[in-house]
Amino acid sequence: MSSKLQLTTLAVLVSAALPAQAALYKVVEVAPGVSGNEVYGTAIEPGTTSDPKGCFVNDCGDGASYKLAGETRNRPDGFSYREEVPFAMDNSFGYIEDDYDGFEDYCFYQLGYATCEYWASDRWSSWYNETYSSNTPNSLAFIEGSAEKPSGAINTVINSLDPSGQPVGNFSTSSKRNEAFSAVTNSTLTSKAQSRAWASDGTYTVGSTSSKSGIGGERYYYSSAPAIWSASGFVSIPRAGGYDVDGDYYAQGSMRDFYIDSAGGKTYGVGYNNYSDQHMNATIFIGNSATPTSATWSSALIYNAQVDISGDNINSNSVATNINKNLVVVGQAKRSGGFPQNGAASNRLFIVPDASASSINASFFYGGIFFDGAGGEMGGINNFNEIVGRIDSENHREYDGKQRRQRAFIYPYGMTPKTDSSEEAAITARRSIFKNKAWLLDDLTNGGSESSNNNQYRIYDASDINDAGVISATAVKCSGGYDSTSHNAYCGDGNGTEKVVAVKLVPIVGSDASVIQPRNYDSTATERKGAGLGFGALTMLGLFGFMRKRIK
């Protein structure tokens, strides 16, 4: 037998002995059904499967049973269509009142980029268009190809889908900057000057209401308060600081998610409230009844994430974004520009393992893909304590430099104090699929029979995850596939056209930890040059939340 044949035979035997390499997720692009240069996935319909391992055991195909909600953009938001105040922290409205100079000042003082002139110009021109020029829609919302446009709407956003797949969000009109919409309506809510809806279980909806419309002569100087409502009841949560107006600052508050603990006779909400010195701090709202609109409500500050720490404004603002049935709370705190960490005034992600604990303290993500001072955006958490969002994928200095590239992640957190003992085995089994650690989702879409399809996409943001394990996301697409499967591969040798698209990530039935094949990095640095990215490549910062950063 020749040595060549021996080596060939050996290679075949070794290959046969190794597990097949395949992706954990299939990337499914979703057609928006509305026009727009760029398309973003914002929410996934709640749902589960008959097996605790979800779509990893029950074949979910292309995820058709779980609708994706999304939005389009032709230009960046002037400031977020979602947030109660500009940049999620400007409750004096000082930055926004100063027009272009205010945008540049915010970037200079709170972000620190060396590119603030460009950053400000891009957003100011959009804000000017929305405020002084025209009512041309920029944000068109959809659910799986069908447009969602309430009557009279200009810009519409969807924050979540309720258990029946109905949208929950807000829209602007010619007389209101924001008006809430969901399947749950209430006459008190519709009488408010502004309102926003963030989450709903089909019976109750949570969000905020504001004292002025945010349009015309009332564009500035309004306050907002957290709220929860049903068809027959409405509750505005008291401000923790006690002041509607204090000097140049206007109190703000918002409830972003909630869970009704029927067994414990309480309702837990999460978001932010107004505290001393008008600071906007991440908060757990506690209602003393399982009937939220009949409850008496209190606010518990989430320590370690608050603005004022030991007498210094370490953070500019913070918010708790989601809570699940295990009473696990996740959120984010924007580091102040005066106190950068590891070279960045980043938006750091945190977790509170038990909302019912006597002492509420945030722990910031750290270890593995979460380096010291990493910034990102929280997406969501399901009832298996699986967390998704977006995180810095490089750690160069941002302050006086350029924005870090970011990528979507999944973090299987595991057991927490309130995890039901009957579900511990399921959570352990699901966590083992990910080797008990966090991953960039690009590493979990590589290899196997889906490799060719998946290699057309690099997953930028993960906005939501349901109990079946299906994720709503946003990706950059190179039609036909990138030049290699590496993280930093070229599209068409650097001359291809890329575009921003909404996608679902659907678990591939039968996949487990043995098939994970992380992407590598090409040895030479690449800069994408595709004209199709437009502002998406350069200005995704600020589109949907505190920090939206550059895709490259």
Side-chain angles (χ1 to χ4, degrees):
M1 182 181 291
S2 71
S3 60
K4 180 177 180 179
L5 180 58
Q6 292 176 16
L7 289 172
T8 302
T9 304
L10 179 61
V12 170
L13 292 173
V14 171
S15 176
L18 293 173
Q21 300 293 345
L24 283 185
Y25 293 96
K26 178 180 183 179
V27 183
V28 180
E29 186 174 345
V30 176
V34 292
S35 61
N37 292 338
E38 301 182 347
V39 186
Y40 300 84
T42 63
I44 198 73
E45 184 177 1
T48 187
T49 68
S50 59
D51 191 282
K53 283 191 176 182
C55 297
F56 288 105
V57 170
N58 293 116
D59 190 355
C60 295
D62 286 346
S65 297
Y66 310 103
K67 297 177 182 177
L68 177 142
E71 300 155 14
T72 63
R73 292 292 190 277
N74 293 314
R75 59 183 186 273
D77 306 3
F79 73 86
S80 173
Y81 301 130
R82 289 177 160 78
E83 296 296 339
E84 280 74 18
V85 294
F87 315 123
M89 58 82 69
D90 184 17
N91 57 341
S92 71
F93 298 90
Y95 285 125
I96 202 72
E97 188 180 24
D98 287 343
D99 294 334
Y100 170 82
D101 290 341
F103 279 82
E104 188 173 22
D105 284 347
Y106 171 77
C107 181
F108 181 81
Y109 290 109
Q110 291 298 331
L111 303 178
Y113 304 142
T115 56
C116 282
E117 201 171 291
Y118 171 82
W119 188 96
S121 178
D122 209 29
R123 282 154 186 77
W124 156 245
S125 59
S126 188
W127 168 249
Y128 182 90
N129 182 70
E130 295 165 8
T131 308
Y132 305 111
S133 181
S134 72
N135 286 327
T136 303
N138 182 36
S139 181
L140 301 179
F142 65 91
I143 300 176
E144 290 282 322
S146 299
E148 293 291 330
K149 186 178 180 181
S151 177
I154 299 172
N155 290 309
T156 306
V157 296
I158 296 176
N159 294 316
S160 62
L161 295 174
D162 73 14
S164 298
Q166 297 301 303
V168 183
N170 53 271
F171 62 96
S172 63
T173 68
S174 58
S175 61
K176 291 186 179 182
R177 176 165 174 81
N178 283 287
E179 185 164 343
F181 73 100
S182 72
V184 181
T185 59
N186 181 282
S187 58
T188 301
L189 178 77
T190 55
S191 69
K192 298 293 185 177
Q194 285 193 76
S195 57
R196 295 164 177 81
W198 285 86
S200 180
D201 65 358
T203 301
Y204 299 96
T205 298
V206 296
S208 68
T209 61
S210 300
S211 60
K212 292 184 179 181
S213 69
I215 296 293
E218 298 182 327
R219 184 173 296 113
Y220 311 117
Y221 316 131
Y222 55 80
S223 61
S224 61
I228 184 167
W229 61 90
S230 65
S232 58
F234 178 90
V235 175
S236 181
I237 311 298
R239 297 183 179 92
Y243 296 100
D244 182 15
V245 182
D246 185 5
D248 294 333
Y249 295 90
Y250 292 74
Q252 308 294 334
S254 178
M255 192 181 296
R256 301 296 176 85
D257 198 7
F258 72 107
Y259 176 72
I260 298 175
D261 180 9
S262 299
K266 292 185 177 181
T267 302
Y268 294 90
V270 297
Y272 71 89
N273 208 343
N274 180 83
Y275 291 82
S276 61
D277 294 328
Q278 299 295 76
H279 290 156
M280 298 156 57
N281 287 326
T283 295
I284 296 174
F285 304 101
I286 304 169
N288 64 353
S289 170
T291 304
T293 51
S294 299
T296 299
W297 288 85
S298 60
S299 296
L301 174 70
I302 298 178
Y303 288 95
N304 297 337
Q306 75 270 28
V307 171
D308 187 330
I309 299 177
S310 301
D312 291 318
N313 290 349
I314 301 298
N315 296 307
S316 64
N317 55 286
S318 60
V319 60
T321 58
N322 303 91
I323 185 171
N324 68 7
K325 71 176 185 180
N326 303 316
L327 301 188
V328 181
V329 176
V330 292
Q332 52 203 24
K334 168 65 175 67
R335 193 85 176 184
S336 171
F339 294 89
Q341 181 182 12
N342 193 21
S346 56
N347 196 49
R348 299 177 299 157
L349 310 183
F350 67 76
I351 188 166
V352 176
D354 181 7
S356 67
S358 57
S359 179
I360 306 296
N361 295 283
S363 297
F364 290 96
F365 290 5
Y366 184 73
I369 64 173
F370 306 114
F371 60 85
D372 184 34
E377 186 81 10
M378 188 60 71
I381 183 172
N382 64 14
N383 289 314
F384 292 96
N385 297 339
E386 294 164 343
I387 304 165
V388 296
R390 191 177 71 250
I391 199 70
D392 288 342
S393 60
E394 53 190 14
N395 64 356
H396 62 256
R397 182 179 178 84
E398 279 193 325
Y399 223 75
D400 296 324
K402 65 176 183 177
Q403 297 164 256
R404 294 168 178 163
R405 177 173 52 188
Q406 293 189 329
R407 284 292 183 266
F409 72 85
I410 184 167
Y411 182 12
Y413 190 76
M415 237 62 67
T416 54
K418 292 295 182 180
T419 300
D420 190 308
S421 59
S422 65
E423 296 179 346
E424 289 184 1
I427 289 178
T428 298
R430 285 181 66 138
R431 194 165 186 255
S432 69
I433 294 172
F434 305 97
K435 298 184 179 180
N436 304 315
K437 66 178 184 178
W439 292 88
L440 296 180
L441 282 165
D442 278 340
D443 284 326
L444 306 183
T445 62
N446 186 34
S449 60
E450 291 297 328
S451 184
S452 179
N453 171 69
N454 286 359
N455 193 45
Q456 298 182 101
Y457 306 93
R458 295 295 182 268
I459 314 302
Y460 169 68
D461 188 28
S463 57
D464 196 10
I465 182 171
N466 65 17
D467 288 346
V470 181
I471 299 169
S472 60
T474 300
V476 182
K477 180 182 182 182
C478 175
S479 295
Y482 287 96
D483 294 354
S484 74
T485 61
S486 66
H487 280 287
N488 56 342
Y490 281 106
C491 176
D493 198 28
N495 297 308
T497 297
E498 297 169 291
K499 61 180 180 178
V500 178
V501 298
V503 298
K504 284 190 279 194
L505 302 184
V506 184
I508 298 172
V509 65
S511 297
D512 59 26
S514 67
V515 306
I516 295 175
Q517 184 180 10
R519 298 182 188 274
N520 58 17
Y521 286 87
D522 289 339
S523 57
T524 56
T526 66
E527 293 288 338
R528 293 192 175 132
K529 302 174 183 177
L533 271 179
F535 78 81
L538 302 173
T539 62
M540 293 186 77
L541 177 67
L543 285 185
F544 289 120
F546 294 147
M547 302 282 285
R548 294 283 166 179
K549 297 187 179 180
R550 181 176 181 177
I551 292 179
K552 292 200 297 185

